[in-house]
Amino acid sequence: MTPARVTGTPGRTRVLIVGGGITGLAAAHHLRDLLGPDAEIIVAEQAMRLGGKIHTVDFAGRPVETGAESLLAARPEAIALAEAVGLGDALVYPSDAKPALSIGGELLDFPAGHMMGIPGDPADVAAIANAKERPDNGLPILEAGGDMSVGALVRSRLGNEVLDRLVAPMLGGVYAGDVDRLSVRAVMPQLAAALERHARLTDAVNEIKRPPTDAPRRPVFATVDGGLERLVTATSATARAEVRLGMTVRELRQTPYGWEVIAGPVPDPIKITADAVILAVPASPAAVLLRAVEPQAAAALSGVAYASVALAAFAFDKVDLPERSGFLTPASEGKTVKAATFASKKWPHLGRRRQIVRVSMGRLGEEALLQYDDATLAKTALRELGEHLGQRLPEPVEQRIDRWGGALPQYTPGHVARIAAAREALAAHPNIAIAGAAVDGVGIAACIASGQKAATTIAEQLTHSH
């Protein structure tokens, strides 16, 4: 069957955004600002809801996140977007409770002034791992533009124990990744820049983590009262885009007049024409769409691996939780549970009537874990949570399991350079951009920044071509 054609209104610019996660919605919102009220902006989303990894549910009478939990307030993009879409007054911040390290059945403090678990103070290295920083040769650790794995960096400078006890749990919590396959430049760009100036790793960390003496300390994280899905809904509404849910984009072609995609169900597809396209989807579908357009960009994206995770949420009527925001644990502890968040302790706005705990399971290569049924995963999570806390936990009044297959992209050394080369190759094809966690970093703030960057690129190209 010949696909039905959807064409734009003559004289009006049309942009198609593939992917309705926060990246695509941030791109749509920024395009609306840049292109004005007359532009046609279409968001095509394969799922039957917007938001991607942001999903808020009613759990034990409270709005609880089943995916991404918070906004990084230490960088400006997420907070600025929330304010721009009318949610500035709904932003809430965590308590002063600190996360712990769970080692050998004990909850230990993280060193102050660390960068992704890498200590900035040599005394902390000795205290946590009974190790000391290796002698340096006086040369900067990284050459300009160079890269290496986080594992190689920390192991060579601070030793295996610091890597295993501090850095691996932190990166395992954020990326569910293998420290020996994660790029310093992609995961910690600020640190990579400092490593070009310093011969000692602790000196490089210290330069970044040294707090300004006069400025008040700002919270690192934030969330939205009522749930992060409010940010999704408000951004979509403010962007005034035409949202098409349940629409899979299957083919992408460049035409003399712009771009054309084949989308929708196989037996009855439609053809959509657009002046420009933003791909805001994970690496694999983006690579498939780009294969016939720009093979180099497709190859760079197809090399991005993903880790899968499972999240368990428990609500307790009465449970004795420590005054912590949660804990992380090294893989060497041999547990399925790699992290937990004591949501009711961390987020005061949730109240203390019931204690809510989120438990994270799964690291890179542990995809088989997701095949267990909900009851087995919940039982394992509850038992191990009790072991970490040194107590037998009561039966929860409510529980749920959420699986996120292929949730977290893994940035191997050289990732930043490969993505830069992919974007350079794509620049030969006007009015197309890539965005999202696959290319520019995990986390809501990074995804928003990526979507906005793609929107800026497209708006500039469209203005120039017109």
Side-chain angles (χ1 to χ4, degrees):
M1 183 183 289
T2 305
R5 182 182 289 274
V6 179
T7 54
T9 307
R12 293 179 70 183
T13 299
R14 168 182 276 190
V15 182
L16 174 68
I17 298 170
V18 185
I22 196 63
T23 304
L25 295 175
H29 178 269
H30 199 44
L31 278 173
R32 180 60 68 203
D33 283 346
L34 296 171
L35 299 180
D38 291 337
E40 292 183 25
I41 301 169
I42 299 175
V43 176
E45 168 53 48
Q46 182 177 14
M48 293 308 296
R49 66 171 186 85
L50 292 172
K53 306 298 184 300
I54 297 175
H55 190 206
T56 310
V57 299
D58 187 316
F59 180 74
R62 304 300 298 154
V64 170
E65 308 303 337
T66 69
E69 186 219 20
S70 58
L71 311 171
L72 186 61
R75 57 181 291 176
E77 298 88 356
I79 299 298
L81 179 62
E83 290 169 344
V85 300
L87 293 175
D89 291 342
L91 289 169
V92 288
Y93 299 93
S95 68
D96 292 333
K98 299 284 187 287
L101 264 173
S102 177
I103 297 178
E106 269 191 278
L107 295 183
L108 308 174
D109 288 335
F110 260 97
H114 69 87
M115 176 90 183
M116 281 290 188
I118 305 174
D121 185 343
D124 287 326
V125 177
I128 291 282
N130 194 25
K132 58 185 182 181
E133 194 162 6
R134 311 279 165 84
D136 63 86
N137 59 7
L139 298 173
I141 295 170
L142 269 189
E143 292 179 7
D147 201 3
M148 66 196 304
S149 75
V150 177
L153 169 70
V154 178
R155 191 180 289 110
S156 65
R157 301 285 164 161
L158 303 176
N160 272 323
E161 214 170 345
V162 171
L163 180 65
D164 175 61
R165 288 188 156 204
L166 293 175
V167 184
M170 184 67 77
L171 287 171
V174 177
Y175 292 93
D178 176 350
V179 287
D180 287 311
R181 293 168 67 181
L182 284 173
S183 148
V184 171
R185 198 166 288 280
V187 170
M188 293 178 266
Q190 277 184 295
L191 180 63
L195 293 173
E196 294 176 5
R197 298 187 289 273
H198 291 282
R200 295 176 69 81
L201 178 51
T202 51
D203 288 347
V205 172
N206 243 324
E207 179 193 309
I208 298 161
K209 300 306 290 184
R210 194 178 297 124
T213 48
D214 50 349
R217 287 198 61 184
R218 292 170 55 89
V220 177
F221 298 103
T223 192
V224 176
D225 194 1
L228 288 172
E229 220 161 286
R230 290 185 66 196
L231 179 64
V232 171
T233 306
T235 304
S236 174
T238 312
R240 300 190 309 283
E242 180 186 333
V243 173
R244 301 193 175 197
L245 297 176
M247 176 175 278
T248 303
V249 175
R250 303 183 184 283
E251 289 179 52
L252 174 65
R253 302 176 192 141
Q254 191 169 8
T255 73
Y257 313 103
W259 295 92
E260 188 173 82
V261 302
I262 305 296
V266 173
D268 194 19
I270 61 170
K271 193 180 282 185
I272 302 174
T273 62
D275 298 292
V277 172
I278 294 175
L279 299 181
V281 289
S284 183
V288 168
L289 291 173
L290 286 172
R291 208 163 283 149
V293 174
E294 181 45 69
Q296 184 180 342
L301 287 165
S302 64
V304 179
Y306 279 75
S308 301
V309 295
L311 295 173
F314 301 105
F316 300 98
D317 266 340
K318 284 186 180 174
V319 66
D320 183 23
L321 294 177
E323 289 300 320
R324 302 273 193 176
S325 61
F327 65 78
L328 298 164
T329 193
S332 56
E333 290 289 299
K335 305 283 192 191
T336 302
V337 167
K338 63 176 185 178
T341 301
F342 307 148
S344 314
K345 301 272 188 188
K346 182 174 181 178
W347 300 107
H349 71 285
L350 290 177
R352 295 285 182 103
R353 188 172 66 84
R354 277 190 172 146
Q355 294 289 334
I356 295 168
V357 179
R358 276 177 27 127
V359 171
S360 177
M361 297 170 279
R363 297 177 178 87
L364 185 66
E366 296 179 355
E367 286 73 20
L369 176 74
L370 272 66
Q371 304 307 315
Y372 290 111
D373 60 40
D374 286 6
T376 303
L377 279 174
K379 190 175 176 182
T380 301
L382 196 62
R383 186 191 74 248
E384 289 195 5
L385 181 61
E387 289 167 0
H388 282 292
L389 298 177
Q391 57 178 287
R392 186 181 173 85
L393 294 171
E395 278 298 305
V397 293
E398 201 171 324
Q399 64 185 39
R400 68 175 284 141
I401 296 289
D402 290 278
R403 294 169 174 78
W404 294 97
L408 294 162
Q410 305 295 298
Y411 311 123
T412 53
H415 173 84
V416 172
R418 288 190 296 273
I419 294 303
R423 282 190 162 126
E424 196 173 325
L426 269 182
H429 309 268
N431 304 332
I432 185 166
I434 52 176
V439 291
D440 289 323
V442 301
I444 294 170
C447 287
I448 289 168
S450 181
Q452 291 171 340
K453 176 181 170 183
T456 300
T457 300
I458 291 298
E460 286 172 353
Q461 289 182 357
L462 287 171
T463 304
H464 181 71
S465 61
H466 286 176

